[in-house]
Amino acid sequence: MAVTIKDIAKQAGVSPATVSRVLSGQVAFYSEKTAKKVKKTAKKLGYQKNTAAVELVTRRSKVIAVIVSSTKTNFSDQIIDGIQQEAGEHDLNVIILYAGEKDPQMERKALETVIERSVMGILLVAVNLNSVNENLLVNANIPYQFLSITLKNRKLPFITSDDFQIGYQATKYLIDKGHSKIGFAAADLDSVTGQLRLDGYHQAMADNGLQLNSAWVCGGDFAYEDGVNAMKQYGREPEVTAVIASSDLAAIGVMNQAQDYGLKIPADLAVMSVDGTKLCSIVRPQLTSVTQEFFEMGVRGMQQIISQPTKAAKSAFTPFKIIARQSV
Amino acid sequence: MAVTIKDIAKQAGVSPATVSRVLSGQVAFYSEKTAKKVKKTAKKLGYQKNTAAVELVTRRSKVIAVIVSSTKTNFSDQIIDGIQQEAGEHDLNVIILYAGEKDPQMERKALETVIERSVMGILLVAVNLNSVNENLLVNANIPYQFLSITLKNRKLPFITSDDFQIGYQATKYLIDKGHSKIGFAAADLDSVTGQLRLDGYHQAMADNGLQLNSAWVCGGDFAYEDGVNAMKQYGREPEVTAVIASSDLAAIGVMNQAQDYGLKIPADLAVMSVDGTKLCSIVRPQLTSVTQEFFEMGVRGMQQIISQPTKAAKSAFTPFKIIARQSV
DNA sequence: ATCAACATCACAAACGTTTGTGTTTTACTA
DNA sequence: TAGTAAAACACAAACGTTTGTGATGTTGAT
């Protein structure tokens, strides 16, 4: 049905081999004249290459798969932008698959699809695999890289911010502003990411001789609702004078709930968020944030994939900075 | 290198044909005993099917491609969710490609990638193709469907809200609330979508005997900044008492700028948004919105693809409703 | 015992490319 | 003119499946 390389060959009076070499831009295998002829008839016939056939014979693919998990947070767009840019420069195609929220079933399916297609590389943003899926990925013999997540298994390569430092610096920033009773909200305390931020928070408090109060830390899942719930926990007359929320949306949740309680921000309560997406400057008051370099994460992730298998993938931190806006 | 069905065949002492039939779940071609044996050795060897080979020989694919354009607005997630759900029920895989913002180059590349892979269907969300890319798509002989957009070329199937009615009903809603000087902001007036909404706005004004003022309509591109700019246009002491912004983000832009001007919402200025994503209930005051059924768009889009080629794809409207919150 | 009917399986072609190697043509040298 | 090296091309195998068809084995009825 569809027009193949053979059709072109017949029309142009050459062999399929020549057509293939012309169309895939190999040099020094044909004359300029036949090249022109081949290209013309290819265009005339409306030829589209059959990628399945190409990948079957070459046993490699030019697509990078990005598996993204979370839609509860909203930074993945930036990461994907970074990936796209870097991919574009190397003539790679990127496809994105959603793997649900902590849904091992969907994660498995996403993994299988990309492995069966033997993509060139797999980028996993904010997804935490269980051990069977982890095995699936590792045994697939395809370069991979985790993004925006810290894993228990330090053998796996990931690129993210230094979560301990995020917790530490955010806390220190608030302490420097005169706060001593600081809440820590909405992080997933079962995740390494959340745990590290909490450790940083603890350390910063300790380093400054400040008391801790377990009621000040409220776990969650980085979602808006978790911010709301945390604030409800703190109550109408909160003991804390500042809170660090582990995502922009969560921070908005605590702000909204605080305002519903009649609290003024930042006068009555300072709020600081982690992520620093565009949301921070869209809400009022604008959110002071620990701003991560998500775009950069994407870029570096791609670079790791591309440089393989020359070098094995390594974990790395991307920098972050604190951007002062209005909420502190 | 990788393990193939031939390896399994050899190990299990059967033919590759039998392995294939067992693994792809064909019935009445083998005994239960060999089936078990085959499956076991397949698992033991860690077999992963080679999709390239499968697609090459079957000449069909189980993947749905979603090409999304806009990251300036934020409704695509809902559409994709709808697509995913419907896809999941039919054991289809969905891959997502970003095609930039009105970037014909990237659109072409995205189209070519999916066409070369001869995917089962193509869903285009909020992308408007130029005529050459349009030809590419149409000639590819792959079912396709546009989502969340109204096209000039009525031959192309699209599923979206009735934009004229959106403009009309939003305007009427504000009129019923007592407003007579109503702004219309941030829609892309070069797009059919924007134009239709504007027509609806005009019609509603006319039907209620209200004057129009061309200074009340400010075009844009549905972005946050367009909302800000529109409000700047209206000024510190705006003539309009209400404004319809053509996206949630744009509406937030209007609100923020209005508040920067010291205006109270909704007392001094009512703001109404189109889209109705989660953002509406996250900002303060919460945004009254024309809420579209994006999830439903995704579902219906997939259904159209699936039902092809039994029926040719048709255009359709998904319903919308006005949800009152705090901004009017 | 014969034979049909069916169950179970193996053979082999086909899908559309790429690519190593062989073959023809061209161009040039002596 | 003969010979040769290089350029231009064609042949054919291979990639890993699916699937139509033919081969073999088994069962049961007559």
Side-chain angles (χ1 to χ4, degrees), chain A residues 13-320:
Chain A
V14 296
S15 77
T18 301
V19 175
S20 169
R21 290 190 238 251
V22 169
L23 259 30
S24 54
Q26 300 189 27
V27 286
F29 266 104
Y30 46 82
S31 69
E32 207 40 54
K33 190 161 63 93
T34 54
K36 211 158 285 175
K37 191 169 50 181
V38 165
K39 284 178 188 164
K40 209 181 63 185
T41 64
K43 187 151 294 180
K44 192 178 68 181
L45 267 41
Y47 170 74
Q48 290 285 352
K49 93 162 60 173
N50 182 325
T51 309
V54 175
E55 290 185 354
L56 179 57
V57 59
T58 63
R59 249 105 49 97
R60 87 189 87 101
S61 144
K62 297 179 72 139
V63 351
I64 301 291
V66 183
I67 300 183
V68 345
S69 195
S70 180
T71 48
K72 248 184 246 155
T73 47
N74 59 316
F75 51 76
S76 12
D77 289 347
Q78 295 180 56
I79 298 185
I80 291 172
D81 279 348
I83 293 172
Q84 293 267 27
Q85 165 171 310
E86 194 65 17
E89 289 177 8
H90 294 82
D91 191 30
L92 266 21
N93 298 118
V94 3
I95 66 177
I96 300 153
L97 317 235
Y98 278 97
E101 304 278 346
K102 301 191 175 182
D103 184 338
Q105 196 77 0
M106 287 193 66
E107 286 166 2
R108 177 178 192 87
K109 197 178 170 199
L111 278 173
E112 277 177 343
T113 4
V114 303
I115 291 174
E116 286 173 0
R117 306 195 100 76
S118 57
V119 296
M120 178 182 170
I122 304 177
L123 259 15
L124 303 100
V125 354
V127 355
N128 200 347
L129 265 26
N130 65 20
S131 62
V132 13
N133 286 343
E134 192 176 300
N135 275 334
L136 194 61
L137 175 63
V138 173
N139 293 329
N141 231 25
I142 296 178
Y144 59 90
Q145 187 92 27
F146 289 84
L147 259 32
S148 189
I149 197 171
T150 308
L151 267 11
K152 260 189 206 81
N153 182 349
R154 296 310 182 104
K155 297 281 180 57
L156 303 178
F158 54 82
I159 296 180
T160 186
S161 304
D162 183 335
D163 282 307
F164 178 88
Q165 280 299 324
I166 285 183
Y168 191 94
Q169 298 297 340
T171 309
K172 182 165 183 309
Y173 180 83
L174 290 171
I175 294 172
D176 289 348
K177 294 287 179 189
H179 296 278
S180 57
K181 298 178 177 179
I182 301 173
F184 182 90
D188 179 358
L189 299 178
D190 294 331
S191 72
V192 182
T193 295
Q195 196 56 50
L196 282 174
R197 289 184 189 173
L198 183 61
D199 290 348
Y201 160 80
H202 281 157
Q203 187 68 47
M205 295 292 274
D207 284 358
N208 289 272
L210 296 175
Q211 296 291 323
L212 288 172
N213 184 333
S214 63
W216 296 347
V217 354
C218 298
D221 196 25
F222 306 99
Y224 175 81
E225 287 74 19
D226 297 319
V228 173
N229 289 334
M231 195 59 221
K232 283 181 179 164
Q233 206 78 15
Y234 299 139
R236 290 183 175 278
E237 297 177 352
E239 197 182 358
V240 297
T241 62
V243 10
I244 300 169
S246 260
S247 81
D248 292 339
L249 275 167
I252 297 175
V254 340
M255 284 209 306
N256 283 346
Q257 186 60 39
Q259 283 167 338
D260 287 354
Y261 282 160
L263 300 170
K264 297 276 175 251
I265 291 169
D268 300 331
L269 185 76
V271 178
M272 186 149 182
S273 81
V274 176
D275 278 356
T277 65
K278 206 184 169 195
L279 278 179
C280 292
S281 36
I282 277 180
V283 293
R284 294 300 137 91
Q286 294 182 36
L287 268 169
T288 291
S289 67
V290 176
T291 298
Q292 304 192 60
E293 302 218 350
F294 293 114
F295 187 91
E296 180 69 12
M297 275 184 213
V299 172
R300 293 228 207 140
M302 270 299 306
Q303 289 173 342
Q304 290 277 350
I305 297 288
I306 292 171
S307 72
Q308 258 155 329
T310 332
K311 305 181 257 189
K314 275 310 299 166
S315 294
F317 288 135
T318 44
F320 64 86

Side-chain angles (χ1 to χ4, degrees), chain B residues 118-160:
Chain B
S118 56
V119 296
M120 179 184 169
I122 304 177
L123 259 15
L124 303 99
V125 354
V127 354
N128 200 347
L129 264 26
N130 66 19
S131 62
V132 14
N133 286 343
E134 192 177 300
N135 275 333
L136 194 61
L137 175 63
V138 173
N139 293 329
N141 230 27
I142 296 178
Y144 59 90
Q145 188 92 27
F146 289 85
L147 259 30
S148 189
I149 196 170
T150 308
L151 267 11
K152 257 185 208 86
N153 182 349
R154 296 311 182 102
K155 296 280 180 57
L156 303 178
F158 53 82
I159 296 180
T160 187

